[in-house]
Amino acid sequence: MNSSKIKYRPEIDGLRAIAVITVIFYHFEISFFGNEFFKGGYLGVDVFFVISGYLITSILVDEYESKNSISILNFYKRRIRRIIPLLFTVILVSIPFAWFFLLPSSLIDFSKSSLSSLIFSSNFYFHFSENAYFNFNDSNPLLHTWSLSVEEQFYIFFPFFLLFVIKYLNKLLIKFFIFLIFINLLMIQFGGNLSFNYPYIEENFSFNKPNFFGSFYIFTSRFWELLIGSCLVFFEKKIKFKK
């Protein structure tokens, strides 16, 4: 068994297609009779994170089941071979268009985002430079690489995390994942009320106070979505084992 591959799942490609279409139509601001038809289309990004968590967990779990171990080095090699050539291609194709069509300030922004995307940190770059995803007039052609950076940050530590959980928390695995999802959602929702000073909780408590951990671009605001994908793998395995 080749542990680096999983069985082709046409339904996953179908979900990907739906996610892509909704995001594209959302950015085109398509409307009918004055109503935006795909107003919530950006949720396609969330679907992608769930799919990503599912696929990566499937690959790692299948490898563990077949070899009783996970080769983290091989996992990183596969990710590099799959992602880096495509990322380089996108950047190289974008360079001449950026050179001819962008203003000097936007060209500098493009250069910085290119470098940050190559080290999978463009999500932090866009967050701190205040490049809003929902600003459709943004001229940076690499704005979409923020999601790739989030995924790669997840891939860096997840194999170690998964290996630990399988070995030492096997009987509580699904419950542990659900617990982490719950904690992550609490942090996103209420983290803005926390303070480093006594009494450590803001007096004017808000149910949706903005905070760094819940930022659109930051990994911690997407961790629960990736973990939902992971949970689906273990639910699926449990169902198969019962048959």
Side-chain angles (χ1 to χ4, degrees):
M1 176 181 176
N2 186 350
S3 60
S4 67
K5 295 181 180 181
I6 60 174
K7 183 180 178 182
Y8 174 67
R9 302 286 298 272
E11 67 273 23
I12 291 178
D13 275 349
L15 284 174
R16 281 173 167 165
I18 292 171
V20 169
I21 290 170
T22 56
V23 171
I24 291 174
F25 283 6
Y26 171 68
H27 282 288
F28 275 128
E29 297 182 282
I30 295 176
S31 62
F32 295 95
F33 302 105
N35 297 314
E36 289 186 35
F37 191 67
F38 288 91
K39 194 172 182 178
Y42 62 89
L43 292 176
V45 176
D46 303 289
V47 173
F48 268 112
F49 283 126
V50 174
I51 292 173
S52 181
Y54 174 85
L55 292 175
I56 291 304
T57 305
S58 296
I59 291 171
L60 293 172
V61 169
D62 286 347
E63 181 175 353
Y64 186 83
E65 288 180 335
S66 63
K67 298 180 179 179
N68 201 35
S69 66
I70 294 174
S71 175
I72 295 176
L73 182 60
N74 286 336
F75 171 78
Y76 289 151
K77 287 180 179 178
R78 292 195 300 267
R79 292 299 95 200
I80 290 171
R81 286 198 299 266
R82 181 179 178 86
I83 293 168
I84 291 298
L86 290 174
L87 181 58
F88 263 112
T89 301
V90 170
I91 292 173
L92 289 174
V93 170
S94 300
I95 287 174
F97 292 96
W99 180 263
F100 285 106
F101 295 107
L102 296 184
L103 295 172
S105 59
S106 297
L107 188 59
I108 292 172
D109 183 47
F110 169 79
S111 302
K112 291 179 178 179
S113 63
S114 298
L115 293 174
S116 62
S117 65
L118 288 173
I119 57 174
F120 305 118
S121 62
S122 61
N123 58 324
F124 289 105
Y125 172 73
F126 291 126
H127 171 80
F128 288 110
S129 61
E130 298 182 348
N131 280 269
Y133 176 81
F134 298 98
N135 180 6
F136 302 148
N137 294 319
D138 195 289
S139 57
N140 195 319
L142 299 179
L143 184 62
H144 65 282
T145 62
W146 74 269
S147 60
L148 177 62
S149 293
V150 168
E151 287 189 356
E152 293 310 302
Q153 290 158 20
F154 177 71
Y155 297 159
I156 288 172
F157 81 89
F158 186 69
F160 296 98
F161 169 76
L162 183 63
L163 194 56
F164 173 83
V165 172
I166 290 175
K167 284 189 174 183
Y168 300 106
L169 297 173
N170 190 274
K171 293 182 180 179
L172 300 172
L173 195 148
I174 293 178
K175 292 180 180 178
F176 182 62
F177 272 59
I178 292 174
F179 172 75
L180 289 179
I181 291 170
F182 178 71
I183 292 298
N184 189 206
L185 287 172
L186 283 180
M187 182 176 64
I188 293 169
Q189 191 70 31
F190 303 113
N193 295 285
L194 302 179
S195 172
F196 288 106
N197 301 316
Y198 182 82
Y200 308 113
I201 298 178
E202 298 288 346
E203 291 184 6
N204 299 320
F205 192 88
S206 171
F207 285 93
N208 191 24
K209 194 169 185 178
N211 65 94
F212 175 79
F213 298 107
S215 167
F216 184 88
Y217 288 120
I218 302 304
F219 167 77
T220 47
S221 67
R222 305 293 171 174
F223 185 51
W224 67 278
E225 296 171 339
L226 292 154
L227 284 185
I228 285 178
S230 298
C231 271
L232 292 175
V233 173
F234 295 111
F235 277 119
E236 187 179 54
K237 294 283 183 184
K238 209 169 184 181
I239 292 170
K240 287 182 178 178
F241 292 154
K242 287 182 178 180
K243 291 181 180 180

